[in-house]
Amino acid sequence: MESRAKLAGHPVHQMLIVFPLGLLATAVVFDVIYLVTKNPAWSTSAFYMIGAGVVTGLAAAVPGTVDWLAIPRGTRAKRIGLIHGVGNVVVIALFALSWVLRRDQPANPPTEAVVAGLLGAGLSIVTAWLGGELVDRLGVGVDDGAHLDAPSSLTGLPAVAAGGSGAYPGMPRGYAGAERRHFPQPAYAGDDRRGRGSA
Ligand code: HEM
């Protein structure tokens, strides 16, 4: 299912999520280093990273919600997307709580603040996996008919259009995405696919 919130041909959600994932995970690591070293530079950095992670997480949630609303009802993708979305709202809330609890003493965060961050990080592993399931397994945010030889997203052409070599090896010219699903495909292992049907 094609993303409904795109920039330069690619889903905005997948661009933005790197910020909360990177910032919040690193903040938790810095908290742990602070607990070991008691060097306030780590806890102070974690404080600012959590703030930036919460703001960028909220920003990433907007295009994610746009894409989720476009998923047809009654599908596994709709259910997984809902658990993913609600789970990430809880992740953001836990880190927001962690930020509020340490706001008056960023260099020396109370234990509850560190625990809230650790809980948020643990939950984000599950929600990120659900996000990957949405894309890699359920095809949400992937252009319909995407194939290995699709033309650039910047051409405005549909992914099913013939790309670099003019046709996907073994595929009839001008094929439509749907036919790909009926093509007998053993687990993809690079070279063996190219051997199939090449004239
Ligand atoms: C902190 C907030 C969030 C983070 C860190 C996050 C993270 C992710 C990750 C890691 C993926 C898989 C991306 C990939 O494999 O390329 C993903 C996909 C997705 N997420 Fe989120 N997510 C967040 C919030 C939300 C919310 C609130 C929703 C709304 C329901 C949502 C809906 C989706 C959808 C529909 C996809 C499929 C791909 C797409 O449409 O771009 N996400 N997310």
Side-chain angles (χ1 to χ4, degrees), residues 1-4 6 8-11 14 135 139-147 150-160 175 177 180-181:
M1 185 204 95
E2 207 137 339
S3 168
R4 299 296 190 273
K6 285 185 167 185
H10 297 161
Q14 295 172 37
V135 175
V140 180
V142 178
D143 287 358
D144 300 329
H147 63 94
S152 162
S153 309
L154 300 174
T155 60
L157 290 170
V160 290
Y175 86 99
R180 184 162 174 235
R181 273 183 283 283

Side-chain angles (χ1 to χ4, degrees), residues 1-5 10-21 24 53-54 56-69 71 77 80-89 91-92 124 127-136 139-142:
M1 185 204 95
E2 207 137 339
S3 168
R4 299 296 190 273
H10 297 161
V12 176
H13 185 62
Q14 295 172 37
M15 295 176 199
L16 292 181
I17 55 173
V18 296
F19 293 100
L21 287 174
L24 299 174
V54 167
T56 52
L58 291 171
V62 176
T65 306
V66 169
D67 281 348
W68 180 75
L69 290 170
I71 302 174
I80 297 287
L82 182 65
I83 302 168
H84 169 81
V86 171
N88 277 313
V89 169
V91 166
I92 296 170
S124 74
T127 57
W129 182 87
L130 291 170
E133 184 76 355
L134 281 169
V135 175
D136 305 333
V140 180
V142 178

Side-chain angles (χ1 to χ4, degrees), residues 71-72 74-81 129 133-134 137-138:
I71 302 174
T75 58
R76 182 166 172 258
K78 195 76 170 180
R79 288 193 301 279
I80 297 287
W129 182 87
E133 184 76 355
L134 281 169
R137 188 74 171 178
L138 299 162

